[in-house]
PDB file of all heavy atoms in Angstrom:
ATOM      1  N   SER A   1     -11.872   8.817 -13.257  1.00 98.00           N
ATOM      2  CA  SER A   1     -11.845   8.017 -12.010  1.00 98.00           C
ATOM      3  C   SER A   1     -10.938   6.779 -12.172  1.00 98.00           C
ATOM      4  O   SER A   1     -10.777   6.306 -13.345  1.00 98.00           O
ATOM      5  CB  SER A   1     -13.260   7.546 -11.692  1.00 98.00           C
ATOM      6  OG  SER A   1     -14.133   8.626 -11.448  1.00 98.00           O
ATOM      7  N   LEU A   2     -10.426   6.345 -11.088  1.00 98.00           N
ATOM      8  CA  LEU A   2      -9.735   5.092 -10.988  1.00 98.00           C
ATOM      9  C   LEU A   2     -10.012   4.458  -9.642  1.00 98.00           C
ATOM     10  O   LEU A   2     -10.335   5.163  -8.695  1.00 98.00           O
ATOM     11  CB  LEU A   2      -8.164   5.349 -11.083  1.00 98.00           C
ATOM     12  CG  LEU A   2      -7.545   5.531 -12.475  1.00 98.00           C
ATOM     13  CD1 LEU A   2      -6.032   5.867 -12.261  1.00 98.00           C
ATOM     14  CD2 LEU A   2      -7.710   4.350 -13.354  1.00 98.00           C
ATOM     15  N   ARG A   3      -9.807   3.150  -9.581  1.00 98.00           N
ATOM     16  CA  ARG A   3      -9.998   2.390  -8.349  1.00 98.00           C
ATOM     17  C   ARG A   3      -8.778   1.559  -8.079  1.00 98.00           C
ATOM     18  O   ARG A   3      -8.393   0.774  -8.926  1.00 98.00           O
ATOM     19  CB  ARG A   3     -11.272   1.508  -8.407  1.00 98.00           C
ATOM     20  CG  ARG A   3     -11.584   0.843  -7.112  1.00 98.00           C
ATOM     21  CD  ARG A   3     -12.876  -0.038  -7.154  1.00 98.00           C
ATOM     22  NE  ARG A   3     -13.177  -0.625  -5.971  1.00 98.00           N
ATOM     23  CZ  ARG A   3     -13.847  -0.097  -4.995  1.00 98.00           C
ATOM     24  NH1 ARG A   3     -14.264   1.127  -5.038  1.00 98.00           N
ATOM     25  NH2 ARG A   3     -14.097  -0.803  -3.802  1.00 98.00           N
ATOM     26  N   LEU A   4      -8.162   1.797  -6.909  1.00 98.00           N
ATOM     27  CA  LEU A   4      -7.016   1.040  -6.529  1.00 98.00           C
ATOM     28  C   LEU A   4      -7.492  -0.014  -5.547  1.00 98.00           C
ATOM     29  O   LEU A   4      -8.298   0.179  -4.739  1.00 98.00           O
ATOM     30  CB  LEU A   4      -5.927   1.923  -5.923  1.00 98.00           C
ATOM     31  CG  LEU A   4      -5.418   3.080  -6.681  1.00 98.00           C
ATOM     32  CD1 LEU A   4      -4.343   3.804  -5.929  1.00 98.00           C
ATOM     33  CD2 LEU A   4      -4.904   2.644  -8.053  1.00 98.00           C
ATOM     34  N   SER A   5      -6.831  -1.209  -5.667  1.00 98.00           N
ATOM     35  CA  SER A   5      -7.120  -2.312  -4.719  1.00 98.00           C
ATOM     36  C   SER A   5      -5.872  -2.868  -4.170  1.00 98.00           C
ATOM     37  O   SER A   5      -4.829  -2.880  -4.890  1.00 98.00           O
ATOM     38  CB  SER A   5      -7.952  -3.383  -5.430  1.00 98.00           C
ATOM     39  OG  SER A   5      -9.225  -2.936  -5.750  1.00 98.00           O
ATOM     40  N   CYS A   6      -5.920  -3.392  -2.961  1.00 97.00           N
ATOM     41  CA  CYS A   6      -4.737  -4.019  -2.298  1.00 97.00           C
ATOM     42  C   CYS A   6      -5.188  -5.156  -1.507  1.00 97.00           C
ATOM     43  O   CYS A   6      -6.156  -5.085  -0.757  1.00 97.00           O
ATOM     44  CB  CYS A   6      -4.026  -2.971  -1.418  1.00 97.00           C
ATOM     45  SG  CYS A   6      -2.711  -3.575  -0.437  1.00 97.00           S
ATOM     46  N   ALA A   7      -4.463  -6.299  -1.680  1.00 96.00           N
ATOM     47  CA  ALA A   7      -4.817  -7.528  -0.922  1.00 96.00           C
ATOM     48  C   ALA A   7      -3.610  -7.920  -0.145  1.00 96.00           C
ATOM     49  O   ALA A   7      -2.464  -8.027  -0.662  1.00 96.00           O
ATOM     50  CB  ALA A   7      -5.163  -8.615  -1.882  1.00 96.00           C
ATOM     51  N   ALA A   8      -3.849  -8.270   1.168  1.00 94.00           N
ATOM     52  CA  ALA A   8      -2.807  -8.742   2.032  1.00 94.00           C
ATOM     53  C   ALA A   8      -2.868 -10.257   2.103  1.00 94.00           C
ATOM     54  O   ALA A   8      -3.973 -10.790   2.123  1.00 94.00           O
ATOM     55  CB  ALA A   8      -2.957  -8.154   3.396  1.00 94.00           C
ATOM     56  N   SER A   9      -1.709 -10.867   2.044  1.00 90.00           N
ATOM     57  CA  SER A   9      -1.673 -12.343   2.142  1.00 90.00           C
ATOM     58  C   SER A   9      -0.465 -12.735   3.024  1.00 90.00           C
ATOM     59  O   SER A   9       0.444 -12.005   3.194  1.00 90.00           O
ATOM     60  CB  SER A   9      -1.548 -12.994   0.753  1.00 90.00           C
ATOM     61  OG  SER A   9      -0.373 -12.561   0.118  1.00 90.00           O
ATOM     62  N   GLY A  10      -0.516 -14.004   3.462  1.00 88.00           N
ATOM     63  CA  GLY A  10       0.572 -14.501   4.280  1.00 88.00           C
ATOM     64  C   GLY A  10       0.136 -14.736   5.671  1.00 88.00           C
ATOM     65  O   GLY A  10      -0.976 -15.050   5.955  1.00 88.00           O
ATOM     66  N   SER A  11       1.096 -14.634   6.629  1.00 79.00           N
ATOM     67  CA  SER A  11       0.814 -14.904   8.083  1.00 79.00           C
ATOM     68  C   SER A  11       0.170 -13.655   8.686  1.00 79.00           C
ATOM     69  O   SER A  11       0.845 -12.822   9.281  1.00 79.00           O
ATOM     70  CB  SER A  11       2.092 -15.255   8.744  1.00 79.00           C
ATOM     71  OG  SER A  11       2.675 -16.408   8.117  1.00 79.00           O
ATOM     72  N   ILE A  12      -1.171 -13.587   8.527  1.00 80.00           N
ATOM     73  CA  ILE A  12      -1.889 -12.426   9.041  1.00 80.00           C
ATOM     74  C   ILE A  12      -2.741 -12.826  10.237  1.00 80.00           C
ATOM     75  O   ILE A  12      -3.565 -13.666  10.140  1.00 80.00           O
ATOM     76  CB  ILE A  12      -2.806 -11.875   7.899  1.00 80.00           C
ATOM     77  CG1 ILE A  12      -2.009 -11.421   6.665  1.00 80.00           C
ATOM     78  CG2 ILE A  12      -3.584 -10.678   8.472  1.00 80.00           C
ATOM     79  CD1 ILE A  12      -2.859 -11.113   5.490  1.00 80.00           C
ATOM     80  N   PHE A  13      -2.386 -12.170  11.357  1.00 78.00           N
ATOM     81  CA  PHE A  13      -3.186 -12.482  12.607  1.00 78.00           C
ATOM     82  C   PHE A  13      -4.030 -11.364  12.986  1.00 78.00           C
ATOM     83  O   PHE A  13      -5.131 -11.531  13.518  1.00 78.00           O
ATOM     84  CB  PHE A  13      -2.211 -12.849  13.699  1.00 78.00           C
ATOM     85  CG  PHE A  13      -1.394 -14.114  13.383  1.00 78.00           C
ATOM     86  CD1 PHE A  13      -0.130 -14.014  12.954  1.00 78.00           C
ATOM     87  CD2 PHE A  13      -1.981 -15.331  13.487  1.00 78.00           C
ATOM     88  CE1 PHE A  13       0.629 -15.148  12.652  1.00 78.00           C
ATOM     89  CE2 PHE A  13      -1.261 -16.528  13.220  1.00 78.00           C
ATOM     90  CZ  PHE A  13       0.057 -16.408  12.781  1.00 78.00           C
ATOM     91  N   ALA A  14      -3.486 -10.114  12.838  1.00 84.00           N
ATOM     92  CA  ALA A  14      -4.350  -8.916  13.255  1.00 84.00           C
ATOM     93  C   ALA A  14      -3.939  -7.782  12.364  1.00 84.00           C
ATOM     94  O   ALA A  14      -2.787  -7.354  12.408  1.00 84.00           O
ATOM     95  CB  ALA A  14      -4.115  -8.701  14.750  1.00 84.00           C
ATOM     96  N   ILE A  15      -4.890  -7.257  11.637  1.00 89.00           N
ATOM     97  CA  ILE A  15      -4.591  -6.071  10.854  1.00 89.00           C
ATOM     98  C   ILE A  15      -5.240  -4.823  11.488  1.00 89.00           C
ATOM     99  O   ILE A  15      -6.403  -4.818  11.764  1.00 89.00           O
ATOM    100  CB  ILE A  15      -5.213  -6.222   9.387  1.00 89.00           C
ATOM    101  CG1 ILE A  15      -4.616  -7.536   8.754  1.00 89.00           C
ATOM    102  CG2 ILE A  15      -4.804  -5.029   8.545  1.00 89.00           C
ATOM    103  CD1 ILE A  15      -5.144  -7.662   7.357  1.00 89.00           C
ATOM    104  N   GLY A  16      -4.401  -3.860  11.693  1.00 92.00           N
ATOM    105  CA  GLY A  16      -4.872  -2.627  12.304  1.00 92.00           C
ATOM    106  C   GLY A  16      -5.194  -1.696  11.129  1.00 92.00           C
ATOM    107  O   GLY A  16      -6.041  -1.965  10.333  1.00 92.00           O
ATOM    108  N   PHE A  17      -4.525  -0.608  11.088  1.00 94.00           N
ATOM    109  CA  PHE A  17      -4.759   0.422  10.001  1.00 94.00           C
ATOM    110  C   PHE A  17      -4.421  -0.252   8.593  1.00 94.00           C
ATOM    111  O   PHE A  17      -3.495  -1.027   8.554  1.00 94.00           O
ATOM    112  CB  PHE A  17      -3.892   1.625  10.127  1.00 94.00           C
ATOM    113  CG  PHE A  17      -4.334   2.683  11.166  1.00 94.00           C
ATOM    114  CD1 PHE A  17      -3.735   2.761  12.326  1.00 94.00           C
ATOM    115  CD2 PHE A  17      -5.411   3.422  10.859  1.00 94.00           C
ATOM    116  CE1 PHE A  17      -4.113   3.705  13.294  1.00 94.00           C
ATOM    117  CE2 PHE A  17      -5.900   4.334  11.793  1.00 94.00           C
ATOM    118  CZ  PHE A  17      -5.243   4.510  12.976  1.00 94.00           C
ATOM    119  N   MET A  18      -5.200   0.079   7.665  1.00 96.00           N
ATOM    120  CA  MET A  18      -4.843  -0.125   6.222  1.00 96.00           C
ATOM    121  C   MET A  18      -5.085   1.236   5.560  1.00 96.00           C
ATOM    122  O   MET A  18      -5.940   1.982   5.869  1.00 96.00           O
ATOM    123  CB  MET A  18      -5.765  -1.180   5.608  1.00 96.00           C
ATOM    124  CG  MET A  18      -5.617  -2.593   6.237  1.00 96.00           C
ATOM    125  SD  MET A  18      -6.503  -3.836   5.237  1.00 96.00           S
ATOM    126  CE  MET A  18      -5.257  -4.175   3.965  1.00 96.00           C
ATOM    127  N   GLY A  19      -4.244   1.464   4.540  1.00 97.00           N
ATOM    128  CA  GLY A  19      -4.387   2.758   3.860  1.00 97.00           C
ATOM    129  C   GLY A  19      -3.548   2.900   2.641  1.00 97.00           C
ATOM    130  O   GLY A  19      -2.983   1.915   2.136  1.00 97.00           O
ATOM    131  N   TRP A  20      -3.552   4.142   2.124  1.00 98.00           N
ATOM    132  CA  TRP A  20      -2.830   4.462   0.913  1.00 98.00           C
ATOM    133  C   TRP A  20      -2.012   5.683   1.103  1.00 98.00           C
ATOM    134  O   TRP A  20      -2.482   6.694   1.710  1.00 98.00           O
ATOM    135  CB  TRP A  20      -3.864   4.672  -0.228  1.00 98.00           C
ATOM    136  CG  TRP A  20      -4.575   3.458  -0.669  1.00 98.00           C
ATOM    137  CD1 TRP A  20      -5.789   3.019  -0.139  1.00 98.00           C
ATOM    138  CD2 TRP A  20      -4.141   2.447  -1.593  1.00 98.00           C
ATOM    139  NE1 TRP A  20      -6.129   1.835  -0.753  1.00 98.00           N
ATOM    140  CE2 TRP A  20      -5.119   1.476  -1.618  1.00 98.00           C
ATOM    141  CE3 TRP A  20      -3.081   2.350  -2.411  1.00 98.00           C
ATOM    142  CZ2 TRP A  20      -5.081   0.363  -2.530  1.00 98.00           C
ATOM    143  CZ3 TRP A  20      -2.979   1.279  -3.233  1.00 98.00           C
ATOM    144  CH2 TRP A  20      -3.992   0.320  -3.334  1.00 98.00           C
ATOM    145  N   TYR A  21      -0.800   5.651   0.607  1.00 98.00           N
ATOM    146  CA  TYR A  21       0.099   6.757   0.594  1.00 98.00           C
ATOM    147  C   TYR A  21       0.453   7.028  -0.855  1.00 98.00           C
ATOM    148  O   TYR A  21       0.293   6.120  -1.682  1.00 98.00           O
ATOM    149  CB  TYR A  21       1.344   6.481   1.430  1.00 98.00           C
ATOM    150  CG  TYR A  21       1.127   6.456   2.916  1.00 98.00           C
ATOM    151  CD1 TYR A  21       0.455   5.461   3.578  1.00 98.00           C
ATOM    152  CD2 TYR A  21       1.665   7.482   3.744  1.00 98.00           C
ATOM    153  CE1 TYR A  21       0.287   5.495   4.958  1.00 98.00           C
ATOM    154  CE2 TYR A  21       1.534   7.472   5.095  1.00 98.00           C
ATOM    155  CZ  TYR A  21       0.778   6.464   5.682  1.00 98.00           C
ATOM    156  OH  TYR A  21       0.605   6.458   7.101  1.00 98.00           O
ATOM    157  N   ARG A  22       1.063   8.217  -1.104  1.00 98.00           N
ATOM    158  CA  ARG A  22       1.517   8.473  -2.382  1.00 98.00           C
ATOM    159  C   ARG A  22       2.778   9.330  -2.370  1.00 98.00           C
ATOM    160  O   ARG A  22       3.024  10.035  -1.434  1.00 98.00           O
ATOM    161  CB  ARG A  22       0.447   9.195  -3.324  1.00 98.00           C
ATOM    162  CG  ARG A  22       0.116  10.622  -2.824  1.00 98.00           C
ATOM    163  CD  ARG A  22      -1.072  11.139  -3.585  1.00 98.00           C
ATOM    164  NE  ARG A  22      -1.430  12.553  -3.179  1.00 98.00           N
ATOM    165  CZ  ARG A  22      -2.467  13.144  -3.647  1.00 98.00           C
ATOM    166  NH1 ARG A  22      -3.375  12.585  -4.547  1.00 98.00           N
ATOM    167  NH2 ARG A  22      -2.699  14.359  -3.258  1.00 98.00           N
ATOM    168  N   GLN A  23       3.534   9.137  -3.500  1.00 98.00           N
ATOM    169  CA  GLN A  23       4.740   9.910  -3.570  1.00 98.00           C
ATOM    170  C   GLN A  23       4.931  10.392  -4.999  1.00 98.00           C
ATOM    171  O   GLN A  23       4.958   9.614  -5.937  1.00 98.00           O
ATOM    172  CB  GLN A  23       5.945   9.035  -3.150  1.00 98.00           C
ATOM    173  CG  GLN A  23       7.268   9.773  -3.107  1.00 98.00           C
ATOM    174  CD  GLN A  23       8.379   9.062  -2.382  1.00 98.00           C
ATOM    175  OE1 GLN A  23       8.347   7.817  -2.216  1.00 98.00           O
ATOM    176  NE2 GLN A  23       9.361   9.803  -1.908  1.00 98.00           N
ATOM    177  N   ALA A  24       4.940  11.715  -5.146  1.00 96.00           N
ATOM    178  CA  ALA A  24       5.184  12.347  -6.441  1.00 96.00           C
ATOM    179  C   ALA A  24       6.661  12.608  -6.640  1.00 96.00           C
ATOM    180  O   ALA A  24       7.383  12.654  -5.608  1.00 96.00           O
ATOM    181  CB  ALA A  24       4.400  13.657  -6.536  1.00 96.00           C
ATOM    182  N   PRO A  25       7.114  12.711  -7.861  1.00 92.00           N
ATOM    183  CA  PRO A  25       8.546  13.040  -8.084  1.00 92.00           C
ATOM    184  C   PRO A  25       9.032  14.215  -7.330  1.00 92.00           C
ATOM    185  O   PRO A  25       8.424  15.271  -7.368  1.00 92.00           O
ATOM    186  CB  PRO A  25       8.574  13.180  -9.596  1.00 92.00           C
ATOM    187  CG  PRO A  25       7.474  12.461 -10.147  1.00 92.00           C
ATOM    188  CD  PRO A  25       6.351  12.606  -9.185  1.00 92.00           C
ATOM    189  N   GLY A  26      10.157  14.075  -6.593  1.00 94.00           N
ATOM    190  CA  GLY A  26      10.684  15.155  -5.885  1.00 94.00           C
ATOM    191  C   GLY A  26      10.043  15.563  -4.601  1.00 94.00           C
ATOM    192  O   GLY A  26      10.392  16.516  -3.925  1.00 94.00           O
ATOM    193  N   LYS A  27       8.994  14.711  -4.205  1.00 96.00           N
ATOM    194  CA  LYS A  27       8.239  15.059  -2.982  1.00 96.00           C
ATOM    195  C   LYS A  27       8.343  13.832  -2.028  1.00 96.00           C
ATOM    196  O   LYS A  27       8.631  12.719  -2.394  1.00 96.00           O
ATOM    197  CB  LYS A  27       6.804  15.352  -3.329  1.00 96.00           C
ATOM    198  CG  LYS A  27       6.607  16.640  -4.170  1.00 96.00           C
ATOM    199  CD  LYS A  27       5.170  16.992  -4.301  1.00 96.00           C
ATOM    200  CE  LYS A  27       4.960  18.324  -5.031  1.00 96.00           C
ATOM    201  NZ  LYS A  27       3.522  18.643  -5.143  1.00 96.00           N
ATOM    202  N   GLN A  28       8.011  14.180  -0.742  1.00 97.00           N
ATOM    203  CA  GLN A  28       7.971  13.132   0.246  1.00 97.00           C
ATOM    204  C   GLN A  28       6.674  12.288   0.102  1.00 97.00           C
ATOM    205  O   GLN A  28       5.679  12.727  -0.371  1.00 97.00           O
ATOM    206  CB  GLN A  28       8.056  13.748   1.672  1.00 97.00           C
ATOM    207  CG  GLN A  28       9.403  14.359   1.994  1.00 97.00           C
ATOM    208  CD  GLN A  28       9.437  14.819   3.461  1.00 97.00           C
ATOM    209  OE1 GLN A  28       8.483  15.137   4.012  1.00 97.00           O
ATOM    210  NE2 GLN A  28      10.644  14.737   4.007  1.00 97.00           N
ATOM    211  N   ARG A  29       6.814  11.036   0.614  1.00 97.00           N
ATOM    212  CA  ARG A  29       5.570  10.215   0.679  1.00 97.00           C
ATOM    213  C   ARG A  29       4.618  10.795   1.624  1.00 97.00           C
ATOM    214  O   ARG A  29       4.977  11.234   2.746  1.00 97.00           O
ATOM    215  CB  ARG A  29       5.951   8.778   1.098  1.00 97.00           C
ATOM    216  CG  ARG A  29       4.836   7.779   0.903  1.00 97.00           C
ATOM    217  CD  ARG A  29       5.351   6.399   1.202  1.00 97.00           C
ATOM    218  NE  ARG A  29       6.341   5.948   0.271  1.00 97.00           N
ATOM    219  CZ  ARG A  29       6.810   4.669   0.203  1.00 97.00           C
ATOM    220  NH1 ARG A  29       6.333   3.749   1.048  1.00 97.00           N
ATOM    221  NH2 ARG A  29       7.730   4.407  -0.660  1.00 97.00           N
ATOM    222  N   GLU A  30       3.316  10.868   1.219  1.00 98.00           N
ATOM    223  CA  GLU A  30       2.308  11.447   2.072  1.00 98.00           C
ATOM    224  C   GLU A  30       1.053  10.521   2.189  1.00 98.00           C
ATOM    225  O   GLU A  30       0.776   9.736   1.256  1.00 98.00           O
ATOM    226  CB  GLU A  30       1.874  12.771   1.480  1.00 98.00           C
ATOM    227  CG  GLU A  30       1.164  12.693   0.108  1.00 98.00           C
ATOM    228  CD  GLU A  30       0.609  14.049  -0.401  1.00 98.00           C
ATOM    229  OE1 GLU A  30       0.790  15.057   0.299  1.00 98.00           O
ATOM    230  OE2 GLU A  30       0.088  14.072  -1.476  1.00 98.00           O
ATOM    231  N   LEU A  31       0.383  10.625   3.299  1.00 98.00           N
ATOM    232  CA  LEU A  31      -0.804   9.926   3.589  1.00 98.00           C
ATOM    233  C   LEU A  31      -1.888  10.461   2.681  1.00 98.00           C
ATOM    234  O   LEU A  31      -2.164  11.593   2.565  1.00 98.00           O
ATOM    235  CB  LEU A  31      -1.252   9.999   4.998  1.00 98.00           C
ATOM    236  CG  LEU A  31      -2.576   9.406   5.380  1.00 98.00           C
ATOM    237  CD1 LEU A  31      -2.524   7.848   5.255  1.00 98.00           C
ATOM    238  CD2 LEU A  31      -3.027   9.804   6.765  1.00 98.00           C
ATOM    239  N   VAL A  32      -2.615   9.525   1.976  1.00 98.00           N
ATOM    240  CA  VAL A  32      -3.775   9.840   1.173  1.00 98.00           C
ATOM    241  C   VAL A  32      -5.035   9.547   2.040  1.00 98.00           C
ATOM    242  O   VAL A  32      -5.885  10.410   2.158  1.00 98.00           O
ATOM    243  CB  VAL A  32      -3.826   9.079  -0.154  1.00 98.00           C
ATOM    244  CG1 VAL A  32      -5.121   9.389  -0.844  1.00 98.00           C
ATOM    245  CG2 VAL A  32      -2.575   9.366  -0.950  1.00 98.00           C
ATOM    246  N   ALA A  33      -5.163   8.346   2.449  1.00 98.00           N
ATOM    247  CA  ALA A  33      -6.303   7.927   3.278  1.00 98.00           C
ATOM    248  C   ALA A  33      -5.966   6.644   4.026  1.00 98.00           C
ATOM    249  O   ALA A  33      -5.150   5.864   3.568  1.00 98.00           O
ATOM    250  CB  ALA A  33      -7.519   7.673   2.363  1.00 98.00           C
ATOM    251  N   ARG A  34      -6.570   6.477   5.184  1.00 98.00           N
ATOM    252  CA  ARG A  34      -6.461   5.225   5.959  1.00 98.00           C
ATOM    253  C   ARG A  34      -7.762   4.924   6.662  1.00 98.00           C
ATOM    254  O   ARG A  34      -8.622   5.728   6.848  1.00 98.00           O
ATOM    255  CB  ARG A  34      -5.320   5.375   6.932  1.00 98.00           C
ATOM    256  CG  ARG A  34      -5.548   6.407   8.045  1.00 98.00           C
ATOM    257  CD  ARG A  34      -4.364   6.434   9.004  1.00 98.00           C
ATOM    258  NE  ARG A  34      -4.569   7.446  10.104  1.00 98.00           N
ATOM    259  CZ  ARG A  34      -3.689   7.654  11.031  1.00 98.00           C
ATOM    260  NH1 ARG A  34      -2.578   6.996  11.099  1.00 98.00           N
ATOM    261  NH2 ARG A  34      -3.995   8.547  11.998  1.00 98.00           N
ATOM    262  N   ILE A  35      -7.836   3.619   7.045  1.00 97.00           N
ATOM    263  CA  ILE A  35      -9.067   3.152   7.621  1.00 97.00           C
ATOM    264  C   ILE A  35      -8.757   2.093   8.612  1.00 97.00           C
ATOM    265  O   ILE A  35      -7.891   1.302   8.496  1.00 97.00           O
ATOM    266  CB  ILE A  35      -9.988   2.556   6.446  1.00 97.00           C
ATOM    267  CG1 ILE A  35     -11.367   2.108   7.074  1.00 97.00           C
ATOM    268  CG2 ILE A  35      -9.307   1.421   5.730  1.00 97.00           C
ATOM    269  CD1 ILE A  35     -12.420   1.785   5.980  1.00 97.00           C
ATOM    270  N   THR A  36      -9.459   2.168   9.779  1.00 96.00           N
ATOM    271  CA  THR A  36      -9.232   1.194  10.849  1.00 96.00           C
ATOM    272  C   THR A  36     -10.070  -0.039  10.617  1.00 96.00           C
ATOM    273  O   THR A  36     -10.957  -0.048   9.720  1.00 96.00           O
ATOM    274  CB  THR A  36      -9.692   1.811  12.223  1.00 96.00           C
ATOM    275  OG1 THR A  36     -11.096   1.977  12.172  1.00 96.00           O
ATOM    276  CG2 THR A  36      -9.006   3.116  12.457  1.00 96.00           C
ATOM    277  N   SER A  37      -9.846  -1.087  11.343  1.00 93.00           N
ATOM    278  CA  SER A  37     -10.646  -2.299  11.205  1.00 93.00           C
ATOM    279  C   SER A  37     -12.120  -2.063  11.535  1.00 93.00           C
ATOM    280  O   SER A  37     -13.008  -2.756  11.027  1.00 93.00           O
ATOM    281  CB  SER A  37     -10.109  -3.391  12.100  1.00 93.00           C
ATOM    282  OG  SER A  37     -10.103  -2.987  13.499  1.00 93.00           O
ATOM    283  N   GLY A  38     -12.358  -1.065  12.351  1.00 94.00           N
ATOM    284  CA  GLY A  38     -13.753  -0.662  12.691  1.00 94.00           C
ATOM    285  C   GLY A  38     -14.391   0.209  11.646  1.00 94.00           C
ATOM    286  O   GLY A  38     -15.601   0.496  11.764  1.00 94.00           O
ATOM    287  N   GLY A  39     -13.628   0.712  10.702  1.00 95.00           N
ATOM    288  CA  GLY A  39     -14.232   1.474   9.569  1.00 95.00           C
ATOM    289  C   GLY A  39     -14.086   2.991   9.742  1.00 95.00           C
ATOM    290  O   GLY A  39     -14.588   3.780   8.929  1.00 95.00           O
ATOM    291  N   SER A  40     -13.336   3.468  10.795  1.00 97.00           N
ATOM    292  CA  SER A  40     -13.031   4.877  10.840  1.00 97.00           C
ATOM    293  C   SER A  40     -12.054   5.271   9.788  1.00 97.00           C
ATOM    294  O   SER A  40     -11.054   4.539   9.614  1.00 97.00           O
ATOM    295  CB  SER A  40     -12.530   5.188  12.286  1.00 97.00           C
ATOM    296  OG  SER A  40     -13.484   4.900  13.220  1.00 97.00           O
ATOM    297  N   THR A  41     -12.206   6.503   9.275  1.00 98.00           N
ATOM    298  CA  THR A  41     -11.331   6.865   8.143  1.00 98.00           C
ATOM    299  C   THR A  41     -10.687   8.235   8.382  1.00 98.00           C
ATOM    300  O   THR A  41     -11.266   9.095   9.169  1.00 98.00           O
ATOM    301  CB  THR A  41     -12.169   6.966   6.856  1.00 98.00           C
ATOM    302  OG1 THR A  41     -13.301   7.910   7.021  1.00 98.00           O
ATOM    303  CG2 THR A  41     -12.743   5.610   6.459  1.00 98.00           C
ATOM    304  N   ASP A  42      -9.591   8.465   7.800  1.00 98.00           N
ATOM    305  CA  ASP A  42      -8.810   9.720   7.779  1.00 98.00           C
ATOM    306  C   ASP A  42      -8.505   9.965   6.291  1.00 98.00           C
ATOM    307  O   ASP A  42      -8.106   9.058   5.586  1.00 98.00           O
ATOM    308  CB  ASP A  42      -7.534   9.677   8.555  1.00 98.00           C
ATOM    309  CG  ASP A  42      -7.848   9.658  10.048  1.00 98.00           C
ATOM    310  OD1 ASP A  42      -8.751  10.435  10.525  1.00 98.00           O
ATOM    311  OD2 ASP A  42      -7.152   8.880  10.729  1.00 98.00           O
ATOM    312  N   TYR A  43      -8.616  11.259   5.900  1.00 98.00           N
ATOM    313  CA  TYR A  43      -8.187  11.609   4.529  1.00 98.00           C
ATOM    314  C   TYR A  43      -7.352  12.830   4.509  1.00 98.00           C
ATOM    315  O   TYR A  43      -7.472  13.715   5.382  1.00 98.00           O
ATOM    316  CB  TYR A  43      -9.434  11.939   3.669  1.00 98.00           C
ATOM    317  CG  TYR A  43     -10.406  10.802   3.374  1.00 98.00           C
ATOM    318  CD1 TYR A  43     -11.466  10.557   4.274  1.00 98.00           C
ATOM    319  CD2 TYR A  43     -10.170  10.043   2.245  1.00 98.00           C
ATOM    320  CE1 TYR A  43     -12.333   9.507   3.954  1.00 98.00           C
ATOM    321  CE2 TYR A  43     -11.060   8.989   2.014  1.00 98.00           C
ATOM    322  CZ  TYR A  43     -12.141   8.695   2.839  1.00 98.00           C
ATOM    323  OH  TYR A  43     -12.948   7.658   2.567  1.00 98.00           O
ATOM    324  N   ALA A  44      -6.435  12.910   3.553  1.00 98.00           N
ATOM    325  CA  ALA A  44      -5.692  14.119   3.323  1.00 98.00           C
ATOM    326  C   ALA A  44      -6.697  15.198   2.871  1.00 98.00           C
ATOM    327  O   ALA A  44      -7.621  14.898   2.148  1.00 98.00           O
ATOM    328  CB  ALA A  44      -4.592  13.920   2.364  1.00 98.00           C
ATOM    329  N   ASP A  45      -6.470  16.469   3.319  1.00 98.00           N
ATOM    330  CA  ASP A  45      -7.392  17.537   2.897  1.00 98.00           C
ATOM    331  C   ASP A  45      -7.520  17.642   1.362  1.00 98.00           C
ATOM    332  O   ASP A  45      -8.587  17.929   0.852  1.00 98.00           O
ATOM    333  CB  ASP A  45      -6.882  18.855   3.491  1.00 98.00           C
ATOM    334  CG  ASP A  45      -7.089  18.912   4.993  1.00 98.00           C
ATOM    335  OD1 ASP A  45      -7.895  18.179   5.528  1.00 98.00           O
ATOM    336  OD2 ASP A  45      -6.451  19.854   5.587  1.00 98.00           O
ATOM    337  N   SER A  46      -6.407  17.327   0.698  1.00 98.00           N
ATOM    338  CA  SER A  46      -6.399  17.507  -0.719  1.00 98.00           C
ATOM    339  C   SER A  46      -7.342  16.524  -1.458  1.00 98.00           C
ATOM    340  O   SER A  46      -7.688  16.722  -2.645  1.00 98.00           O
ATOM    341  CB  SER A  46      -4.991  17.436  -1.283  1.00 98.00           C
ATOM    342  OG  SER A  46      -4.496  16.153  -0.982  1.00 98.00           O
TER     343      SER A  46
END
């Protein structure tokens, strides 16, 4: 297991989606998971 964290800083007024993408060598960047400000989530099937 691993846990990734991300913090946003600066001139932040309204944050919509936050999420994680990944890119493996030789492949396109793909969505891993995202979450709305209300807590709704989407995940890649994998």
